Amino acid sequence: MTRVWGPRDRAAVALPAGFGVVIDPGTKQLDPVTLFGGAPARVLRLSSAGRTALAELRAGPVRSAAAGRLARKLTDAGLAYPRPPELASRPDVTVLIPARDRAVLLDRCLSALGSGYPVVVVDDGSRDPGAVADVAAAHGAALVRRPVNGGPGAARNTGLLGVTTELVAFLDSDCAPEPGWIERLAAHLADPAVVAAAPRMVAVPAGRGWAGRYTTAACCLDLGDAEARVVPGTRVAYVPTAALVVRRAALAPAAGPGGVFDPALRRGEDVDLIWRLHDAGWRIRYDPSVRVAHHEPRGWAALLTRRFRYGTSAAPLAARHPGQVPPLVLHPWPALTVAGLLAGRPAAAGLGFAGSVLAMRATLHRAGLPARGVLPAMLTATRQTWLGVGRYACQYGAPVLAAALVTPGGTGRARRWARRAAAGSLLLGPPLTAWFARRQALDPVRYVLGHLADDVAYGTGVWAGALRARSTAPVRPVIAWHPFRADPASRPEPPPRPGHRG
């Protein structure tokens, strides 16, 4: 009999014995009983039992119930990350691949995948179905044919009807996974509270052309090299189903009227599913140590068209998940500091920065925390706010930004150049920062131009979707009033309620 975990069970269940944890590099132990860090930032105070459990976790994997409960709290908060043990046996997995034409890429995908697991290819109304069928047959994959193209979500829904294994591995036909990717991701699902695990998507080197080198350096599906629990509104707010291992039994309860994936969404259907699973209380893990290569568009027309189409998904996602698709999140005092600097008002900027320091010191004092490190933290917050405002301005207000550069207004020459400098910092700051962070084999001029074109294409798509939906939610910034939360002392918790059995 398979245990079906309800939301309350998943909230209370401890991390299983044998799982290890690694403390996030950004987590700080302020004193013997206080941890600070996570996403969003929080304070966690440890009881005597919690300190003993933390010592156990630092020494090795979970052995006691108390350590398992603390490990759950730490990994849920982003203060630490789980390290699952190796699987004792091969996972029960079916690989599901939606495909529409692109037989050459499908052949490369199946070659990289190998023959270790059953594979179902869903032909989503290909113009040349024979080529897709030949490739599937050559690799021993089962083929399901849809006579009419319905998009990747609809294709996955069709394929899921015939899947009976415990897990399903979604994989797009333009991906090339590395060996062992399924086993390493499936290991996370040995935790009964985890519903899905995703790898890092990296670009297949796309040649020496400008567009190809840019997409290799800035793959839009690449969520970075830092692992995370996937939570809306955090650094890793979603993961794509281009490559994803999922617990099949959890998909049916999360399904809508049209199926597991919403067939009305041609794009963003994977984000919608991930957020529905999150809302149901499941954990989703992002494990960048596992990599799957993704073929990116080779030309600028294809690249920018895809980015535009991705942008159009923001409005329907905002309608389905209110508050989870903010284009920009601002903290009041750093925002006032940046506004003062951009407006050339040093007094306002100084007031904003002083306010941010004093407000944070007061918050720390109320939480009973030391105030050391506040000044550099607020400098970092101001820098991050400036970069966020710049990215937002380029994506959603490029014409206004261009006008500020060309005709800045003002009564004096110095004033006009100050305004140009402010607009230029917003325009160039984010792409140059990204280029310095990556240091890829693409010169900064072409990288910056590509980054700007990428942002404008995406933002134009968001505006198009917002106008179609008659909603400002996808382009409306939000204010975050609380810098972090303080959790009470970690105490022994009751065991989870017995779940329903099916």
Side-chain angles (χ1 to χ4, degrees), residues 31 95 105 114 124 172 235 293 301 327 397:
D31 57 47
V95 182
L105 291 182
D124 188 27
D172 281 359
R235 177 179 56 81

Side-chain angles (χ1 to χ4, degrees), residues 9 20 32 70 117 145 252 430:
D9 297 315
L70 178 61
Y117 297 96
R145 165 78 175 155

Side-chain angles (χ1 to χ4, degrees), residues 222-392:
D222 186 352
L223 300 176
D225 60 0
E227 59 191 304
R229 178 188 176 192
V230 180
V231 177
T234 64
R235 177 179 56 81
V236 181
Y238 70 94
V239 285
T241 49
L244 187 73
V245 175
V246 187
R247 195 181 302 276
R248 184 183 61 84
L251 294 177
V260 172
F261 292 89
D262 187 343
L265 290 173
R266 285 285 186 141
R267 291 157 202 92
E269 79 290 340
D270 45 3
V271 179
D272 173 59
L273 173 63
I274 291 297
W275 287 350
R276 281 188 278 121
L277 292 171
H278 171 79
D279 290 343
W282 289 102
R283 278 76 168 175
I284 300 105
R285 303 301 316 178
Y286 171 62
D287 186 348
S289 70
V290 184
R291 294 190 170 206
V292 171
H294 182 259
H295 287 271
E296 297 288 312
R298 291 181 176 272
W300 280 111
L303 187 157
L304 298 179
T305 297
R306 185 184 67 171
R307 290 294 285 155
F308 173 86
R309 289 172 176 166
Y310 283 175
T312 61
S313 69
L317 285 172
R320 288 164 172 79
H321 305 275
Q324 293 186 358
V325 197
L328 177 65
V329 178
L330 293 171
H331 293 272
W333 288 110
L336 177 60
T337 304
V338 170
L341 290 171
L342 294 173
R345 298 287 187 263
L351 176 64
F353 189 75
S356 67
V357 172
L358 293 174
M360 180 56 72
R361 289 178 65 92
T363 300
L364 293 171
H365 178 73
R366 286 194 299 270
L369 298 174
R372 62 179 181 271
V374 168
L375 186 62
M378 291 301 98
L379 287 171
T380 298
T382 301
R383 176 179 177 273
Q384 292 301 114
T385 300
W386 163 64
L387 291 173
V389 170
R391 191 81 186 264
Y392 176 86

Side-chain angles (χ1 to χ4, degrees), residues 100-115:
R100 186 178 187 227
D101 295 307
R102 303 195 299 187
V104 172
L105 291 182
L106 177 61
D107 181 61
R108 293 175 184 170
C109 174
L110 292 173
S111 296
L113 185 61
S115 57

Side-chain angles (χ1 to χ4, degrees), residues 96-97 99 119-125 132 136 141-147 155 158-162:
L96 181 54
I97 304 176
V119 179
V120 176
V121 174
V122 181
D123 184 343
D124 188 27
V132 173
L143 180 68
V144 177
R145 165 78 175 155
R146 286 175 51 88
T158 299
L160 283 169
L161 296 176

